[in-house]
Amino acid sequence: MHPAGLEPTTYSSGGCRSIQLSYGCAGERGSLIRGSESSGQSLILGNFGVQCGIVKRYLVAMAVCIAAAHAQDEVSLSSAFGSGDGVNGQVLAIVVQPDGKIVIGGRFTEVNGIARSNIARLNEDGTLDRTFAEPMTQGITGQVNALAAQPQGGIIVGGAFTQASQVESLNLARYNPDGSIDRSFGGADAASKGANGAVYSLAVQSDGKIVVGGNFNEIFGQPRRSIARLNADGTPEAPVMAQEPMGTVRAIAADSAGSPVAGGEFILPGSSARNIVQLPAQ
């Protein structure tokens, strides 16, 4: 039996789950209102100091608030692979970490309705990893063109940007496994932070060295044209080739022998070959 005019109330709206509300009155004040959602969980909604005759209007209002809160929870737990909203812009690069997590980069501001700035990490099931590049200001200020994962969990990011995680990083940066930016990448004494032109491609060799391709002529303060090889800590190695490509390197694939293949839109001085080249091992 329910007090007159206080029948159980069910509320549902849009994609929110229905919430069945029930209650009891202790006199005319101090009503304890309890709700249960369709998942079977039980919730204490509030303790209202109102007369029982007017509780019902508050039940509906409270149902709206709870439905909205559950909708937010569902967004954070939804998968970008189907049940969520996915990504609201272009995804231009994807890399899978050794632990199975997936890093995506491109030009976007939301993943599953949650703010992200051009880079994000997903768990294996496609849900957003809230420990990486959180909040949005810890992301990238421009477009991400390339990603590469290091064996120790570092994530190398290349693109056309000026900051990563609010730190000056010109077109090239590294995130630590915990999602923080590596301020030492490229060397503490580097004359500049990154590359002076866009980075379009990245590859990690079997020995841990990093090959960077793009449209630049300087990297971490050292003269390099369109392609460069870095040590695992980001410090530049000697030039990859005596005659470096003239143009843009857009793709790199590393092999087990340490002789990556690079492709793009370029010529090789002193050679009739163009647009593709195999780099010597180092």
Side-chain angles (χ1 to χ4, degrees):
M1 296 288 294
H2 300 280
L6 293 178
E7 294 300 316
T9 303
T10 299
Y11 176 85
S12 64
S13 176
C16 298
R17 290 177 289 192
S18 296
I19 299 175
Q20 178 73 32
L21 298 174
S22 60
Y23 37 79
C25 289
E28 292 187 343
R29 294 183 176 273
S31 301
L32 182 64
I33 301 170
R34 191 169 70 88
S36 61
E37 53 171 329
S38 56
S39 64
Q41 294 178 321
S42 193
L43 305 168
I44 300 297
L45 304 187
N47 192 327
F48 290 83
V50 296
Q51 293 182 349
C52 289
I54 58 172
V55 170
K56 191 172 182 179
R57 73 186 66 175
Y58 291 97
L59 292 178
V60 176
M62 183 63 75
V64 173
C65 295
I66 292 176
H70 278 285
Q72 290 180 346
D73 288 341
E74 288 177 9
V75 164
S76 64
L77 295 175
S78 58
S79 172
F81 299 152
S83 63
D85 293 334
V87 182
N88 74 336
Q90 291 180 310
V91 176
L92 302 174
I94 302 174
V95 68
V96 179
Q97 295 182 176
D99 63 1
K101 291 187 176 182
I102 305 149
V103 182
I104 62 174
R107 196 165 191 88
F108 51 82
T109 58
E110 287 186 359
V111 176
N112 280 350
I114 299 173
R116 283 295 182 271
S117 183
N118 303 313
I119 191 169
R121 185 164 65 188
L122 308 177
N123 297 308
E124 291 182 81
D125 61 1
T127 57
L128 186 64
D129 180 354
R130 301 299 295 269
T131 69
F132 186 88
E134 172 97 2
M136 186 179 186
T137 54
Q138 302 305 302
I140 301 291
T141 57
Q143 182 167 297
V144 174
N145 296 322
L147 295 166
Q150 294 182 291
Q152 298 79 17
I155 299 296
I156 313 298
V157 184
F161 53 85
T162 57
Q163 287 189 337
S165 193
Q166 298 182 302
V167 176
E168 182 185 10
S169 306
L170 303 178
N171 307 311
L172 188 62
R174 177 167 67 184
Y175 282 87
N176 294 312
D178 64 1
S180 62
I181 199 70
D182 183 357
R183 294 172 179 264
S184 68
F185 186 63
D189 299 327
S192 64
K193 292 295 183 181
N196 70 342
V199 172
Y200 291 104
S201 53
L202 294 165
V204 177
Q205 298 182 170
S206 58
D207 60 3
K209 293 178 181 180
I210 307 157
V211 186
V212 183
N215 187 5
F216 52 82
N217 54 43
E218 188 178 282
I219 191 164
F220 292 117
Q222 299 297 312
R224 300 289 187 274
R225 189 173 63 205
S226 302
I227 196 162
R229 185 152 28 200
L230 312 177
N231 294 305
D233 63 359
T235 54
E237 275 209 334
V240 175
M241 307 171 66
Q243 296 292 329
E244 295 172 320
M246 296 179 64
T248 302
V249 173
R250 295 187 178 274
I252 300 173
D255 66 1
S256 58
S259 300
V261 176
E265 303 160 348
F266 56 81
I267 61 172
L268 297 170
S271 172
S272 60
R274 60 180 61 217
N275 301 329
I276 192 165
V277 63
Q278 184 169 37
L279 310 179
Q282 277 187 349

